[in-house]
């Protein structure tokens, strides 16, 4: 057993590949795929990573809706700029979380509240 960054003992047979793919699934399919994995997974490490991914993707999806409204109502330029910023942040953070999960660490996304 080894220690992860969160201080938990890591079992050598935990499913790091599935936990890493949860974050990539959030990029490709949104929070529905992550919620599906969270609800159906029996592996604690995968569930922790899915919860971390949900804590990012659910609020950021709501922000994306607000950005679309801003883009339609106020300024298309502002909407596009905010959408690009959100997309770049989501890709960077999800890939970071995916790499950390593959290494056996449950990385929490910054800024967002812990909803799950």
């Amino acid at each position: 057993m080894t220690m992860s960054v969160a201080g938990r003992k890591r079992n050598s047979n935990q499913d790091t590949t599935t936990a890493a793919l949860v974050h990539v699934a959030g990029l490709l399919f949104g929070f529905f795929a992550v919620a599906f994995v969270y609800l159906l997974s029996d592996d604690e490490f995968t569930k922790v990573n899915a919860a971390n991914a949900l804590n990012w993707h659910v609020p950021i999806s709501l922000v994306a809706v607000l950005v679309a409204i801003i883009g339609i109502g106020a300024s298309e330029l502002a909407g596009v700029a905010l959408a690009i910023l959100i997309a770049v942040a989501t890709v960077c953070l999800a890939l970071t979380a995916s790499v950390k999960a593959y290494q056996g660490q449950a990385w929490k996304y910054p800024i967002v509240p812990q909803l799950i």
Side-chain angles (χ1 to χ4, degrees):
M1 290 202 189
T2 59
M3 296 294 284
S4 68
V5 171
R8 293 184 183 176
K9 287 187 179 179
R10 181 172 83 94
N11 194 350
S12 60
N13 66 355
Q14 72 187 16
D15 196 357
T16 57
T17 303
T18 304
L21 290 175
V22 164
H23 300 284
V24 175
L27 284 176
L28 299 176
F29 305 109
F31 66 87
F32 294 111
V34 178
F36 182 75
V37 171
Y38 179 78
L39 293 172
L40 296 181
S41 179
D42 292 336
D43 184 50
E44 180 185 345
F45 185 66
T46 301
K47 266 188 135 43
V48 168
N49 276 280
N52 289 342
L54 279 171
N55 286 332
W56 173 261
H57 288 287
V58 170
I60 226 54
S61 296
L62 296 173
V63 169
V65 169
L66 292 174
V67 165
I69 293 169
I70 289 171
I72 292 169
S75 167
E76 287 182 23
L77 182 61
V80 169
L82 287 173
I84 290 171
L85 180 68
I86 290 169
V88 169
T90 298
V91 169
C92 290
L93 293 174
L95 291 178
T96 300
S98 182
V99 169
K100 295 285 188 179
Y102 190 73
Q103 294 172 346
Q105 303 168 2
W107 185 74
K108 293 182 181 179
Y109 288 75
I111 301 170
V112 294
Q114 297 302 308
L115 301 171
I116 298 171

